[in-house]
């Protein structure tokens, strides 16, 4: 490209460039001369291109103003004056990523697409949103996304707003609150002492004018960081940026003060800190934090990261083991908190035992001293290095690569204009880490972080049964004390005006201003790589022709048809223990090191696969997932075979620790991901396969787990005997299907190393031992420690004689992004909502971090009437088609594609159905979507409901719930 440091190219001057072999590309750092905007362009051949614009946004209070801005600027702009351009893009673009994120010191707006024109369209809408948002003329956006007052049916005031409700839910998570309290101690004089998302009691103190002033101060081009990534026409894209936004907006808001300061915190030491929180006793926690330098110490931070993994990454890692053995807590986590000006190490003890808080720092320092004085095994560190490098090479980030790399670039770029690629490089870093395995580098690092650190803090979370101190209620009382009838009337009028604005449809003229692709822009679909079932050396194998870039993936699926119903929970226990206990040839610690060093992963789980042709026909498996670099393919056989056939179920203390850790994790999941839990539980009221899922990993399994952990001394002999029995009966080759993606040579080496498991035992003889109880509708509402609710309503379409087609995909998108978004999120204030239905028949509504329950369920039930009246214009409907097809065509990482194809195989789904589904979507018309309304109505009529959430909201509900206080000891 003709980039120059002296001659502007579309207004940009080149400041530096470099090869970026880790991303198979070349990086150009440029500055737009007129506006001051920074641009990092990473040129490579990735067809899934990405663009992002970010701003430095350090908070100066807990009002969550940057979080509210992140939501609000995407609610209309000068060029695109519709209410929800963000939602419009979800409906009618080919995006593979579209979101925005608020971090402790920055706000990012990334997009990605496989279509270059679509990427430019997405960038057009996002740039106009952040630079010319409608917030200055639409105060109702601030009210909707931030906060406003409403009156309930009795005339009592309450706060509502999307961010307000989101943070009520987010800060019911004890881990999130503990992290915030620790940051406040570590950084008492900087922006990091504040909760960037907002604290519910502080959010209502934010005024509309402060909100606008903050936008003007921070959303300016000389405070912006743009990144362009992938296979794009850089000439056209930079011209678009320059001509459409950067030069015209060069002086925009420059007259205002610059962004809030982001300064270094002078060292502080503060350990004896605690706070109380209304939560269950199991959530008693202690966090220790150690500031470890600045963002610029890239290699040192990478070394600390792998060192933490080496000493705390598993129950057998030496520091974690010492803390667990000392009876400090049920679980220990340690992590490097980076992406900050001053990164820090956080060590957290969860489920504190008696006197655990008092002893933790002493045990930690004593253990670290022993490790630093010769007790640190270099093999542990090397294994952690290998694992970290594998993760980076696999690039299975869960988001588009370009989006992940944009976030990575900001880890250093935000703090130093000359360092946009510091964290994108890793080859030299890993070479350095390996070079220093011999010597005292890591031992000295341990001393510096934990023993010689004058910038550290500790905070204890002390659970209490009930906290009568309610900061939100107190804030509400202060703001509404002495409200007159006239003032209440004004609140009612304001809410009515807000509702009117929310319900008023966008004009066709405004909608037409949005960029939009048509069906003609889609191009042909790309079929997935082929896979084929067969046999090899007597093994049943599914072979996947997926390009895996030098990584081999081996999955194993052991059929559970011969396991009795009562034994299914023990199978889940078995998956929890495998890989974490000793074997005949390795201690648990040595096994953990071998897995970390030689494999990318070795995981065990249970899965239920429904047959698309019969709701009564489903398969239940214990699965094993493993991966390794092709050069280490033998380890995929050797280590997995050893774990499957030689695990010793003898160490009572290790097993109890695993049980308690899983119990804690499930309890946090009920409060933080209640929508998934509610949807899964509701499915068990009508779907046989879902009944099995609950027995294996849902509420039923949790109750079983709680009982086993609570009576471990009594149950231990029975449990260990059962696990040994199940392992001997299940892990035989004749009971297993293998799944492989990788090189042919890797498969050959795997086969050569695989020891036939048939010698270990014999499969369960009873083919029909698994007799599943019939589903029973219970309509449970599970009270868990949170301030919000999660609700689900569902049913099985096949019981209503409704088959699957591409039209259902369109109905899902329309209901989720139009009706439910407006009714439950925009008007109701829930953070998330949706409707999903899958090929095998399950259909369900759900809400996420929702302040309401009855109101949301009623809106679910009104969905059919809305769908029956669904009358989009031609352009809007074509947008639904384009975005739905884009979802079908979206790139999939090799690991995920292999797993998906295994599911297709077990469900009897022909891979060619993907293309058929695509054709059905393209051929569909709006009347086809409307025709599904009667089925949606009948789904709702079944009243299969489940909820997780706040006890007071549940108790106040008029719906006929069976209320369960799930975490109470007597349930």
């Amino acid at each position: 490209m003709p980039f120059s440091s002296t001659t502007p190219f579309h207004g940009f001057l080149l400041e530096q460039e470099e090869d970026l072999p880790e991303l198979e590309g070349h990086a150009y750092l440029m500055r737009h001369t007129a506006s001051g905007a920074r641009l990092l362009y990473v040129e490579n051949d990735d067809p899934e291109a990405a663009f992002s614009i970010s701003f430095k946004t350090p908070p100066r209070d807990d009002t969550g103003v940057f979080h509210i801005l992140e939501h609000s600027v995407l609610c209309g702009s000068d060029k695109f004056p519709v209410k929800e351009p963000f939602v419009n893009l979800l409906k009618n673009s080919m995006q593979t990523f579209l979101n925005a994120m608020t971090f402790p010191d920055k706000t990012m707006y990334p997009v990605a697409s496989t279509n270059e024109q679509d990427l430019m369209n997405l960038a057009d809408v996002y740039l106009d949103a952040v630079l010319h948002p409608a917030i200055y003329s639409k105060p109702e956006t601030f009210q909707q996304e931030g906060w406003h007052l409403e009156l309930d049916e009795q005339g009592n005031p309450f706060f509502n707003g999307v961010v307000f409700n989101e943070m009520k839910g987010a800060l019911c998570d004890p881990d999130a609150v503990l992290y915030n309290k620790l940051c406040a101690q570590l950084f008492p004089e900087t922006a990091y002492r504040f909760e960037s998302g907002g604290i519910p009691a502080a959010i209502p103190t934010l005024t509309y004018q402060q909100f606008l002033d903050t936008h003007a101060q921070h959303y300016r081009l000389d405070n912006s960081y743009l990144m362009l990534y992938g296979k794009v026409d850089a000439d056209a894209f930079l011209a678009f940026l320059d001509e459409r936004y950067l030069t015209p907006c060069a002086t925009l808001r420059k007259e205002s003060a610059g962004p809030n300061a982001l300064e270094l915190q002078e060292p502080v030491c503060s350990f004896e800190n605690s706070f109380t929180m209304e939560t269950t006793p199991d959530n008693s926690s202690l966090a220790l934090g150690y500031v470890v330098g600045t963002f610029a110490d890239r290699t040192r931070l990478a070394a600390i990261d792998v060192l933490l993994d080496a000493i705390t990454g598993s129950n057998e890692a030496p520091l974690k083991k010492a803390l667990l053995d000392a009876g400090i807590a049920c679980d220990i986590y340690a992590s490097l908190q980076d992406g900050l000006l001053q990164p820090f190490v956080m060590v957290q003890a969860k489920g504190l035992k008696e006197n655990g808080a008092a002893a933790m720092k002493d045990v930690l320092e004593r253990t670290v001293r022993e490790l630093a004085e010769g007790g640190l095994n270099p093999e542990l560190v090397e294994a952690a290095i290998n694992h970290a490098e594998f993760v980076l090479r696999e690039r299975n980030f869960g988001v588009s690569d370009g989006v992940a790399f944009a976030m990575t670039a900001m880890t250093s770029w935000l703090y130093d204009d000359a360092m946009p690629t510091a964290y994108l490089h890793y080859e030299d870093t890993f070479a350095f880490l390996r070079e220093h395995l011999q010597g005292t580098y890591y031992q000295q690092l341990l001393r510096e972080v934990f023993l010689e650190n004058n910038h550290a803090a500790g905070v204890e979370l002390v659970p209490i049964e009930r906290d009568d101190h309610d900061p939100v209620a107190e804030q509400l009382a202060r703001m509404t004390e002495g409200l007159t009838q006239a003032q209440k009337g004004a609140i009612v009028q304001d809410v009515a005006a807000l509702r009117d604005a929310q319900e008023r449809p966008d004009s066709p003229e405004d909608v037409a201003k949005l960029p939009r692709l048509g069906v003609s822009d889609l191009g042909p679909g790309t079929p997935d790589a082929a896979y084929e079932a067969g046999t090899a050396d007597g093994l049943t194998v599914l072979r996947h022709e997926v390009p895996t870039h030098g990584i081999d993936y081996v999955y194993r699926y052991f059929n559970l048809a011969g396991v009795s119903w009562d034994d299914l929970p023990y199978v889940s226990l078995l998956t929890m223990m495998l890989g974490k206990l000793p074997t005949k040839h390795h201690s648990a610690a040595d096994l953990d090191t071998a897995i970390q060093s030689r494999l990318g992963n070795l995981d065990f789980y249970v899965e239920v696969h429904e047959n698309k042709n019969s709701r009564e026909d489903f398969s239940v498996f214990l699965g094993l997932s493993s991966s390794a670099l092709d050069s280490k393919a033998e380890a995929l056989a050797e280590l997995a075979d050893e774990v499957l056939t030689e695990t010793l179920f003898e160490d009572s203390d290790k097993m109890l620790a695993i049980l308690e850790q899983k119990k804690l994790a499930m309890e946090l999941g009920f409060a933080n991901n209640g929508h998934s839990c509610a949807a899964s539980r509701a499915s068990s009221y009508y779907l046989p396969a879902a009944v099995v899922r609950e027995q294996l990993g849902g509420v039923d399994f949790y109750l079983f787990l709680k009982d086993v952990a609570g009576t471990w001394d009594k149950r231990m002999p029975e449990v260990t005997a059962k696990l040994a029995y199940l392992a001997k009966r299940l892990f035989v080759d004749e009971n297993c299907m293998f799944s492989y993606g990788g090189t042919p040579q890797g498969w050959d080496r795997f086969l050569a190393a695989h020891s036939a498991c048939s010698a270990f035992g014999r499969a369960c003889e009873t083919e029909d031992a698994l007799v599943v109880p019939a589903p029973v509708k219970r309509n449970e509402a599970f009270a868990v420690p949170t301030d919000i609710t999660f609700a689900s309503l569902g049913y099985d379409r096949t019981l209503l004689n409704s088959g699957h087609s591409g039209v259902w995909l369109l109905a899902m998108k329309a209901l989720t992004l139009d009706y439910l978004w407006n009714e439950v999120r925009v008007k109701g204030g829930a953070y998330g909502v949706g409707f999903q239905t899958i090929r095998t028949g399950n259909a369900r509504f759900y809400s996420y971090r929702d302040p309401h329950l009855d109101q949301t369920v009623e809106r679910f039930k009104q969905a059919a009437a809305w769908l029956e009246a669904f009358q989009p214009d031609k352009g809007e409907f074509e947008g639904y088609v384009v975005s739905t097809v884009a979802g079908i065509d979206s790139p999939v990482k090799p690991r995920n594609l292999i797993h998906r194809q295994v599911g297709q195989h077990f469900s009897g789904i022909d891979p060619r159905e993907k293309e058929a589904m695509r054709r059905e979507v393209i051929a569909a018309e709006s009347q086809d979507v409307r025709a599904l309304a009667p089925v949606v109505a009948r789904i709702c009529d079944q009243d299969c409901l489940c909820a997780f959430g706040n006890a007071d909201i549940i108790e106040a509900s008029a719906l006929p719930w069976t209320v369960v206080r799930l975490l109470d000891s007597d349930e």
Side-chain angles (χ1 to χ4, degrees):
M1 297 298 296
F3 303 137
S4 167
S5 60
T6 57
T7 304
F9 182 75
H10 298 303
F12 288 93
L13 285 179
L14 181 68
E15 293 187 343
Q16 63 189 58
E17 67 173 299
E18 61 191 278
D19 284 330
L20 203 50
E22 292 87 347
L23 276 60
E24 296 89 37
H26 197 80
Y28 303 89
L29 177 64
M30 294 177 272
R31 177 89 64 160
H32 190 261
T33 55
S35 67
R38 308 158 185 82
L39 172 70
L40 175 63
Y41 169 40
V42 176
E43 179 184 33
N44 64 16
D45 289 329
D46 192 340
E48 189 176 10
F51 170 80
S52 67
I53 181 168
S54 306
F55 301 94
K56 182 181 291 186
T57 55
R60 58 173 52 163
D61 55 38
D62 289 316
T63 61
V65 60
F66 292 116
H67 189 187
I68 299 170
L69 278 169
E70 175 228 305
H71 283 240
S72 300
V73 299
L74 295 174
C75 293
S77 64
D78 289 356
K79 185 177 178 182
F80 307 110
V82 297
K83 292 183 297 183
E84 299 274 7
F86 172 75
V87 181
N88 285 86
L89 292 176
L90 290 173
K91 289 190 222 177
N92 58 40
S93 74
M94 296 179 67
Q95 58 84 22
T96 55
F97 186 92
L98 183 75
N99 213 331
M101 296 88 81
T102 303
F103 294 88
D105 54 15
K106 56 186 167 286
T107 308
M108 297 187 67
Y109 296 85
V111 294
S113 179
T114 55
N115 181 289
E116 189 169 348
Q117 182 57 55
D118 188 53
L119 183 70
M120 197 174 291
N121 291 347
L122 296 170
D124 195 11
V125 174
Y126 262 43
L127 286 167
D128 204 63
V130 298
L131 298 173
H132 307 296
I135 58 175
Y136 290 90
S137 59
K138 291 173 56 180
E140 61 267 21
T141 299
F142 170 68
Q143 297 163 7
Q144 171 184 294
E145 299 299 321
W147 74 275
H148 63 275
L149 281 170
E150 293 191 24
L151 301 179
D152 63 20
E153 294 177 355
Q154 289 73 42
N156 300 313
F158 65 94
F159 294 126
N160 200 1
V162 173
V163 169
F164 175 81
N165 290 321
E166 177 190 351
M167 296 312 296
K168 281 183 69 178
L171 295 183
C172 287
D173 180 354
D175 291 348
V177 179
L178 185 65
Y179 175 87
N180 291 342
K181 298 289 187 181
L182 181 62
C183 285
Q185 293 297 328
L186 288 171
F187 308 106
E189 300 166 346
T190 79
Y192 298 124
R193 72 186 186 273
F194 300 115
E195 166 52 70
S196 61
I199 290 176
I203 290 172
T205 67
L206 179 68
T207 69
Y208 177 52
Q209 189 58 51
Q210 290 169 336
F211 167 76
L212 296 180
D213 291 345
T214 304
H215 178 269
Q217 183 182 350
H218 293 83
Y219 281 59
R220 38 193 281 176
L221 289 171
D222 58 353
N223 185 41
S224 70
Y225 303 78
L226 286 73
M227 181 165 170
L228 182 62
Y229 165 90
K231 189 175 182 180
V232 296
D233 182 344
D235 187 358
F237 214 103
L238 268 59
F240 153 75
L241 292 175
D242 173 47
E243 296 165 11
R244 195 77 61 85
Y245 289 102
L246 302 189
T247 294
C249 303
T251 60
L252 187 65
R253 291 187 282 277
K254 276 192 176 180
E255 67 281 359
S256 65
N260 294 340
L262 186 58
E263 300 171 339
L264 291 171
Q265 172 68 54
E266 290 297 319
V268 294
C269 233
S270 175
F271 278 100
E272 302 298 325
N273 305 291
S274 66
F275 68 98
T276 59
M277 180 176 180
E278 184 179 322
T279 186
T280 60
D282 284 348
N283 284 324
S284 175
S285 299
L286 174 67
L288 304 179
Y290 302 86
V291 175
V292 291
T294 73
F295 72 95
D297 305 320
R298 166 67 171 121
T299 301
R300 184 171 182 272
L301 291 172
I304 291 171
D305 203 18
V306 299
L307 187 55
L308 289 176
D309 190 24
I311 64 175
T312 66
S314 74
N315 286 0
E316 299 306 315
L319 178 55
K320 182 171 182 176
K321 185 176 187 302
L323 292 168
L324 292 175
D325 288 350
I328 301 294
C330 293
D331 209 352
I332 303 291
Y333 293 95
S335 58
L336 176 66
Q337 304 295 318
D338 59 4
L340 306 171
L341 179 63
Q342 293 170 277
F344 67 95
V345 167
M346 178 175 173
V347 183
Q348 181 181 357
K350 300 180 65 172
L352 280 174
K353 302 293 182 68
E354 187 176 358
N355 299 319
M360 180 171 168
K361 187 169 180 287
D362 288 341
V363 174
L364 183 148
E365 291 182 355
R366 182 174 66 249
T367 306
V368 166
R369 189 169 287 109
E370 291 170 356
L371 292 171
E373 292 175 355
L376 182 64
N377 183 351
E379 291 182 6
L380 278 179
V381 182
E382 184 176 20
I385 293 171
N386 290 341
H387 185 259
E389 187 174 12
F390 179 92
V391 170
L392 286 175
R393 294 193 186 283
E394 187 183 31
R395 296 187 189 173
N396 200 3
F397 304 127
V399 296
S400 304
D401 284 0
V403 172
F405 294 140
M407 289 188 270
T408 302
M410 294 301 292
T411 302
S412 54
W413 194 16
L414 187 76
Y415 317 111
D416 188 330
D417 287 353
M419 292 182 63
T421 62
Y423 282 73
L424 297 174
H425 288 290
Y426 57 79
E427 296 286 4
D428 290 346
T429 298
F430 281 110
F432 175 92
L433 298 181
R434 288 195 167 87
E435 287 170 8
H436 288 77
L437 281 168
Q438 303 304 319
T440 61
Y441 175 77
Y442 292 99
Q443 289 85 346
Q444 180 58 31
L445 203 54
L446 279 172
R447 294 187 187 94
E448 292 172 4
V449 172
F450 295 108
L451 304 179
E452 302 168 359
N453 195 332
N454 65 346
H455 194 167
V459 180
E460 181 183 359
L461 184 163
V462 180
I464 55 177
E465 186 174 344
R466 184 166 184 84
D467 188 356
D468 294 326
H469 172 60
D470 185 345
V472 173
E474 292 173 0
Q475 180 63 40
L476 181 65
R478 282 192 293 270
M479 295 180 64
T480 61
E481 183 178 7
L483 272 181
T484 65
Q485 287 302 119
Q487 289 170 324
K488 288 187 175 183
I491 292 173
V492 172
Q493 290 178 349
D494 289 345
V495 172
L498 175 59
R499 293 287 180 266
D500 179 67
Q502 291 169 332
E503 294 173 359
R504 190 184 313 125
D506 294 316
S507 72
E509 295 79 13
D510 287 342
V511 173
K513 295 174 183 176
L514 286 163
R516 178 176 287 161
L517 298 181
V519 171
S520 60
D521 296 305
L522 289 172
T526 303
D528 291 339
Y531 65 93
E532 184 178 10
T535 58
D537 284 13
L539 306 179
T540 302
V541 185
L542 205 62
R543 294 286 295 270
H544 306 263
E545 299 177 12
V546 178
T548 59
H549 313 294
I551 296 175
D552 296 336
Y553 298 94
V554 175
Y555 289 80
R556 306 190 199 188
Y557 291 88
F558 296 95
N559 200 320
L560 301 182
V563 176
S564 71
W565 172 255
D566 290 338
D567 281 353
L568 282 184
Y570 292 93
V571 176
S572 292
L573 294 187
L574 181 59
T575 64
M576 292 159 48
M577 302 296 169
L578 292 172
K580 299 185 179 77
L581 297 176
T583 67
K584 293 178 182 177
H585 291 90
H586 284 95
S587 69
D590 289 344
L591 177 65
D592 182 67
T593 302
I595 292 171
Q596 282 275 86
S597 182
R598 301 175 66 190
L599 300 181
N601 79 296
L602 180 63
D603 298 317
F604 302 87
Y605 50 90
V606 284
E607 281 187 348
V608 182
H609 293 276
E610 302 160 55
N611 190 294
K612 70 166 188 172
N613 297 315
S614 170
R615 67 190 304 272
E616 305 294 337
D617 184 12
F618 53 87
S619 304
V620 190
F621 296 95
L622 185 155
L624 179 160
S625 164
S626 60
S627 60
L629 296 176
D630 186 60
S631 59
K632 300 180 179 180
E634 293 88 350
L636 291 166
E638 294 164 354
L639 288 173
D641 288 356
E642 179 179 340
V643 170
L644 290 171
T645 63
E646 297 183 354
T647 293
L648 302 174
F649 302 100
E650 298 172 351
D651 193 320
S652 176
D653 291 342
K654 289 186 191 302
M655 297 175 73
L656 178 58
I658 293 168
L659 296 175
E660 291 179 331
Q661 290 164 3
K662 178 66 173 179
K663 175 176 170 289
L664 269 177
M666 292 191 74
E667 289 172 353
L668 286 173
F670 295 142
N672 294 334
N673 296 295
H675 61 305
S676 297
C677 301
S680 177
R681 186 67 174 181
S683 299
S684 73
Y685 303 159
Y686 54 81
L687 191 67
V691 176
V692 178
R693 292 191 182 99
E694 284 295 294
Q695 182 81 338
L696 287 167
V699 170
D700 292 339
F701 174 72
Y702 167 75
L703 296 174
F704 167 84
L705 174 65
K706 186 163 71 167
D707 178 65
V708 170
T711 59
W712 181 242
D713 288 342
K714 176 182 176 182
R715 299 282 298 274
M716 188 267 185
E718 168 232 336
V719 172
T720 55
K722 182 72 73 174
L723 297 185
Y725 166 81
L726 287 170
K728 194 171 185 66
R729 290 293 186 242
L730 288 174
F731 300 143
V732 297
D733 284 348
E734 66 189 77
N735 189 47
C736 180
M737 188 194 81
F738 291 76
S739 169
Y740 177 77
T743 68
Q745 296 80 10
W747 175 248
D748 291 341
R749 293 199 301 277
F750 171 84
L751 280 180
H754 174 58
S755 301
C757 292
S758 298
F760 176 54
R762 50 194 173 83
C764 301
E765 296 100 345
T766 310
E767 291 293 333
D768 58 352
L770 183 55
V771 179
V772 179
V776 176
K777 186 168 80 169
R778 294 183 173 89
N779 287 19
E780 296 146 309
F782 296 99
V784 296
T786 180
D787 287 341
I788 37 75
T789 62
F790 308 85
S792 184
L793 180 156
Y795 202 59
D796 184 357
R797 289 192 340 267
T798 65
L799 293 175
L800 306 175
N801 298 316
S802 173
H804 195 62
S805 73
V807 181
W808 274 111
L809 302 183
L810 291 167
M812 285 167 52
K813 194 166 284 287
L815 282 169
T816 298
L817 295 178
D818 198 326
Y819 171 72
L820 292 170
W821 182 278
N822 290 327
E823 293 295 322
V824 179
R825 188 187 187 278
V826 172
K827 296 182 192 176
Y831 184 54
V833 66
F835 171 74
Q836 299 172 332
T837 186
I838 59 176
R839 192 183 307 247
T840 50
N842 198 4
R844 63 257 189 116
F845 294 87
Y846 67 88
S847 71
Y848 177 70
R849 289 184 180 168
D850 191 345
H852 305 292
L853 187 52
D854 294 24
Q855 181 178 319
T856 295
V857 171
E858 181 59 29
R859 284 168 169 167
F860 289 165
K861 293 186 174 184
Q862 292 170 358
W866 180 88
L867 196 64
E868 189 175 22
F870 180 60
Q871 294 269 4
D873 62 34
K874 181 179 178 182
E876 183 182 2
F877 188 75
E878 189 169 12
Y880 280 122
V881 171
V882 169
S883 60
T884 302
V885 170
I888 295 173
D889 293 346
S890 182
V892 182
K893 292 291 185 178
R895 179 194 295 272
N896 301 336
L897 179 57
I898 290 168
H899 189 248
R900 185 172 79 185
Q901 290 180 336
V902 170
Q904 291 173 345
H905 174 76
F906 287 134
S907 297
I909 297 171
D910 190 314
R912 292 170 294 184
E913 291 184 31
K914 174 185 171 183
E915 183 59 31
M917 193 76 61
R918 192 179 190 273
R919 290 194 298 269
E920 290 168 357
V921 171
I922 293 173
E925 298 181 0
S926 59
Q927 59 263 33
D928 300 321
V929 177
R930 289 195 297 274
L932 299 177
V935 180
V936 174
R938 292 177 66 196
I939 289 169
C940 295
D941 288 345
Q942 309 308 312
D943 277 327
C944 289
L945 294 162
C946 183
F948 282 70
N950 177 268
D952 292 339
I953 297 176
I954 288 171
E955 293 291 351
S957 171
L959 294 167
W961 300 108
T962 298
V963 179
V964 180
R965 293 187 175 272
L966 185 56
L967 307 191
D968 288 358
S969 59
D970 57 347
E971 288 293 345

